């Protein structure tokens, strides 16, 4: 079985979209793949509850309990490796990962970023896109490499930026597209793993 581990920090709506797609499209039978665990660096992350309700194992590795980024990443990697993952999926996981962590999962570590990369890596993507006068915003699914929010692009979705958009209204429009492209990109990748 190809184990998928999903890392979240917050509401976990992308994670939920992936879990629902795996159920709806029967990834166990079709891809020999399952969501093996959902992990969070925040004990209070809302998505943990959804995962538990779905009968998915959850782990919390609280970054505040570690003195350094390296120590946190080491503990996180230990938890991840216990699930023997074929794929590690960052879904609103708001921690910068060390090069050693990224290297360890090279080729099987995905992220979704709420902009049309390579535009607007980093934070506050929607506000920055509006301020730059962009006519389109969007989201990108990409392989994770050592450089933040870079790495080979697997999927993108674009949405229009409307004249009266705020960062919040644009984020909501982009998020609906994230929920479509992330499960689809994973399903396309699974046969290659
Ligand atoms: C999503 O919009 C995702 O693209 C973004 O956080 C949100 C998480 O929402 N990720 C990043 O900004 C990564 N740097 P969710 O918890 O509801 O999936």
């Amino acid at each position: 079985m190809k184990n998928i581990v999903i890392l979240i920090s917050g509401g976990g709506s992308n994670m939920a979209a992936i879990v629902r797609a795996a159920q709806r499209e029967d990834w166990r039978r079709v891809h020999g793949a399952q969501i093996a665990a959902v992990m969070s660096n925040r004990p209070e992350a809302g998505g943990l509850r959804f995962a538990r309700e779905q009968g998915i194992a959850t782990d919390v590795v609280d970054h505040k309990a570690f003195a350094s980024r390296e120590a946190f990443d080491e503990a996180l990697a230990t938890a991840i490796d216990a699930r023997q993952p074929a794929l590690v999926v960052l879904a609103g996981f708001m921690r910068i990962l060390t090069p050693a962590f990224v290297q360890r999962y090279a080729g099987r570590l995905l992220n979704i970023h709420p902009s049309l990369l390579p535009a607007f890596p980093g934070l506050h993507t929607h506000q920055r896109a509006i301020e730059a006068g962009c006519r389109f915003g969007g989201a990108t699914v990409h392989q994770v490499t050592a450089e933040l929010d870079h790495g080979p692009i697997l999927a993108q979705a674009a949405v229009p930026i409307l004249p009266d958009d705020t960062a919040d209204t644009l984020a909501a429009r982009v998020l609906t597209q994230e929920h479509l492209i992330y499960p689809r990109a994973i399903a396309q990748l699974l046969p290659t793993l």
Side-chain angles (χ1 to χ4, degrees), residues 10-15 91-94 111-114 149 175 178:
S13 70
N14 276 290
M15 174 273 296
F93 187 68
M94 303 305 280
N111 183 42
I112 190 160
H113 181 75
D149 298 331
L175 196 59
E178 295 185 39

Side-chain angles (χ1 to χ4, degrees), residues 130-145:
I130 290 169
E131 283 171 8
C134 295
R135 296 310 200 248
F136 289 90
T140 304
V141 177
H142 65 99
Q143 298 266 9
V144 177
T145 55

Side-chain angles (χ1 to χ4, degrees), residues 42-71:
R42 292 184 184 277
E44 72 279 10
L48 290 170
R49 183 170 166 192
F50 170 85
R52 289 187 192 117
E53 284 169 359
Q54 300 299 310
I56 298 169
T58 59
D59 290 310
V60 172
V61 183
D62 187 345
H63 65 275
K64 295 198 193 102
F66 297 88
S68 69
R69 206 175 275 287
E70 286 73 18

Side-chain angles (χ1 to χ4, degrees), residues 52-192:
R52 289 187 192 117
E53 284 169 359
Q54 300 299 310
I56 298 169
T58 59
D59 290 310
V60 172
V61 183
D62 187 345
H63 65 275
K64 295 198 193 102
F66 297 88
S68 69
R69 206 175 275 287
E70 286 73 18
F72 167 70
D73 278 12
E74 201 51 54
L76 182 63
T78 300
I80 292 171
D81 288 350
R83 306 289 179 184
Q84 300 184 301
L87 190 63
V88 179
V89 171
L90 308 181
F93 187 68
M94 303 305 280
R95 300 290 303 171
I96 293 174
L97 297 163
T98 56
F101 184 97
V102 172
Q103 186 55 41
R104 185 180 191 124
Y105 301 106
R108 52 190 175 122
L109 183 58
L110 301 187
N111 183 42
I112 190 160
H113 181 75
S115 78
L116 293 170
L117 291 174
F120 308 120
L123 297 174
H124 310 301
T125 54
H126 304 302
Q127 187 61 36
R128 288 157 64 205
I130 290 169
E131 283 171 8
C134 295
R135 296 310 200 248
F136 289 90
T140 304
V141 177
H142 65 99
Q143 298 266 9
V144 177
T145 55
E147 198 180 347
L148 181 70
D149 298 331
H150 282 68
I153 291 172
L154 300 181
Q156 285 186 312
V159 303
I161 297 179
L162 304 177
D164 57 355
D165 261 334
T166 63
D168 285 347
T169 59
L170 178 56
R173 191 174 308 120
V174 170
L175 196 59
T176 62
Q177 296 303 308
E178 295 185 39
H179 297 164
L180 299 177
I181 64 171
Y182 213 178
R184 201 182 297 148
I186 293 168
Q188 281 172 359
L189 193 67
L190 284 172
T192 71

